[in-house]
Amino acid sequence: MAIEDTHNRPLLDLRISVTDRCNMRCRYCMPREHFDRNHRYLPKEDILSFEEIVCVVKALIPQGLRKVRLTGGEPLLRRDLHELIHQIRSCSPELDIAITTNGLLLKKHLNQLHQAGLSRVTVSLDSLDEKIFQSMGDTKAHPSIVLDAIDAAQNIGLPVKINTVVKKGVNDQHVVSMVEAFGPRNIPVRFIEFMDVGTTNDWNLENVVSADTMRSSLARHFGPLRPRQPIHKSDVANVYTTKEGWSIGFIESITNPFCGDCTRARLSANGSIYTCLFSNKGQDVRGILRMGGTPGDISQAIQSIWMNRTDRYSERRTEQTKRLKVEMSYIGG
Ligand code: SAM
Ligand code: SF4
Ligand code: SF4
């Protein structure tokens, strides 16, 4: 039986942050001046073990959990991640198990992840242009590493999507080339409006390119875009297709918020449940796990957290921009 919050939204998706560390320093997520060597990452002993994470997943499957997404930080920095996927897959053959990764370590781990039961992968890639890729990610890595990993994933039959954060004056002139590169390969590109997550990324509305503006540029090049009916009401992206049938998604958290259909909970790497990406406070479940709690105990705790949920941050953004928010690399994007 699905648990519903105060706005009748069921808990269907769980995003699990498996680490708060990352091998990139995207300016919009972990700017280097804040995430430098003085930054205090979570101590190892605070981070949930695979068994503890699996206990949370097990607790939520009978409540209607449909999908888990492994994220972070960079999830592939967590050693033996395929083991976690294998353990989650053993809980349910039907569960949709996805990962969001920057792709730098993907090729190396791909076969193990696939064999362990991963359903699909979302690769974040902001530009094909070396200079823009390196400056947005504040990295010396070359985008060809990510492209090779995308090829490899497609070759073994793993469905791939691309996430591209669009920032005004940085990569907004390249939305057409992203679709030209991936459309013919049937890889959907999802453009994400630059969001005001956390407190360190210097977010400003002036740097946001609205999905409407992106659609206009794309339509000038590809012709009219046709909106596609959502497969699930809770899908985060609004999907359109070009006349060639290429799929383009838009995650319009700023200009067209989708809180009304938000069915996602987040589990931070140190075992707190967050009911909104923009929460300033999580609710600890690690304590219950470490006191020998069973999936039944966890299920009860999360039920009461979810049933009290009122979050609608994106819809109320203007009233709340000044409040303290947790960083996305910690809570899981
Ligand atoms: N490191 C992995 C990656 O980059 O794919 C997973 C974690 S990352 C926090 C998850 C997603 O959040 C990425 O697609 C990233 O582009 C997106 N993201 C991070 N900060 C963002 C921001 N300020 N606005 C919009 N999207 C953001
Ligand atoms: Fe790392 Fe992903 Fe954040 Fe970039 S978006 S800094 S790759 S966690
Ligand atoms: Fe869900 Fe919070 Fe995002 Fe609204 S702002 S869609 S409630 S995560």
Side-chain angles (χ1 to χ4, degrees):
M1 248 274 288
I3 345 166
E4 292 190 347
D5 69 7
T6 56
H7 298 292
N8 302 109
R9 298 170 296 189
L11 195 176
L12 302 176
D13 312 309
L14 182 66
R15 298 199 171 184
I16 304 171
S17 173
V18 293
T19 176
D20 60 336
R21 290 168 188 264
C22 189
N23 49 358
M24 285 178 75
R25 285 290 178 276
C26 303
R27 300 291 314 154
Y28 50 73
C29 179
M30 295 179 76
R32 196 175 293 277
E33 58 276 23
H34 293 278
F35 294 86
D36 58 8
R37 70 169 68 118
N38 297 322
H39 178 75
R40 295 223 306 266
Y41 292 98
L42 293 170
K44 206 166 166 219
E45 62 277 13
D46 284 5
I47 292 190
L48 292 190
S49 67
F50 289 169
E51 288 67 27
E52 289 168 336
I53 294 173
V54 171
C55 185
V56 176
V57 173
K58 263 193 190 140
L60 293 178
I61 290 175
Q63 314 289 345
L65 187 72
R66 191 179 64 188
K67 174 172 157 191
V68 300
R69 176 173 295 280
L70 303 179
T71 177
E74 173 47 43
L76 292 174
L77 288 181
R78 181 82 186 251
R79 190 180 296 171
D80 297 329
L81 192 72
H82 63 281
E83 266 303 321
L84 174 63
I85 293 173
H86 177 72
Q87 290 181 30
I88 296 176
R89 176 55 72 218
S90 309
C91 302
S92 157
E94 288 99 38
L95 198 65
D96 187 8
I97 308 177
I99 184 173
T100 304
T101 170
N102 61 31
L104 294 180
L105 296 169
L106 180 61
K107 195 170 172 188
K108 180 170 163 203
H109 297 290
L110 197 56
N111 283 325
Q112 280 180 314
L113 298 169
H114 187 226
Q115 280 160 17
L118 184 69
S119 313
R120 56 213 175 76
V121 56
T122 299
V123 179
S124 303
L125 177 65
D126 295 330
S127 181
L128 299 165
D129 177 276
E130 181 181 347
K131 284 209 172 70
I132 299 176
F133 174 85
Q134 291 180 340
S135 82
M136 284 185 83
D138 195 357
T139 173
K140 292 195 168 64
H142 196 276
S144 62
I145 301 173
V146 183
L147 291 171
D148 275 359
I150 293 168
D151 283 347
Q154 243 199 339
N155 288 341
I156 60 169
L158 205 55
V160 184
K161 283 183 187 157
I162 308 290
N163 270 3
T164 301
V165 177
V166 179
K167 272 188 85 174
K168 192 176 279 173
V170 182
N171 63 342
D172 51 340
Q173 298 307 313
H174 294 255
V175 290
V176 167
S177 57
M178 290 297 284
V179 175
E180 279 178 327
F182 293 108
R185 300 168 55 189
N186 283 323
I187 299 181
V189 181
R190 303 177 338 148
F191 295 110
I192 310 178
E193 291 177 347
F194 173 38
M195 288 190 283
D196 52 333
V197 283
T199 53
T200 59
N201 69 4
D202 215 7
W203 183 84
N204 190 316
L205 191 56
E206 282 167 20
N207 296 327
V208 176
V209 182
S210 71
D212 270 345
T213 305
M214 295 184 225
R215 279 190 287 268
S216 302
S217 324
L218 290 162
R220 274 197 295 280
H221 188 87
F222 294 106
L225 304 179
R226 263 184 302 130
R228 199 188 72 188
Q229 276 302 102
I231 297 173
H232 298 292
K233 223 171 98 182
S234 57
D235 289 348
V236 290
N238 292 321
V239 180
Y240 289 71
T241 48
T242 65
K243 59 181 177 315
E244 294 86 353
W246 303 341
S247 162
I248 312 172
F250 300 90
I251 301 178
E252 313 180 29
S253 164
I254 305 294
T255 61
N256 185 14
F258 36 83
C259 300
D261 296 323
C262 180
T263 56
R264 289 174 295 284
R266 291 177 158 82
L267 178 65
S268 68
N270 60 348
S272 286
I273 292 283
Y274 287 80
T275 55
C276 178
L277 179 55
F278 299 91
S279 299
N280 52 8
K281 200 168 157 293
Q283 308 211 42
D284 179 65
V285 293
R286 188 186 62 198
I288 309 174
L289 288 162
R290 296 202 175 163
M291 282 187 317
T294 61
D297 299 327
I298 296 294
S299 167
Q300 257 188 357
I302 298 181
Q303 269 190 47
S304 72
I305 296 169
W306 192 262
M307 284 161 69
N308 287 311
R309 176 187 193 236
T310 55
D311 307 285
R312 285 173 46 226
Y313 175 84
S314 286
E315 289 179 353
R316 298 174 173 161
R317 174 171 276 108
T318 45
E319 302 157 31
Q320 310 190 40
T321 42
K322 294 225 159 36
R323 79 177 189 188
L324 254 189
K325 292 166 288 176
V326 70
E327 296 300 323
M328 196 166 183
S329 52
Y330 161 76
I331 193 182

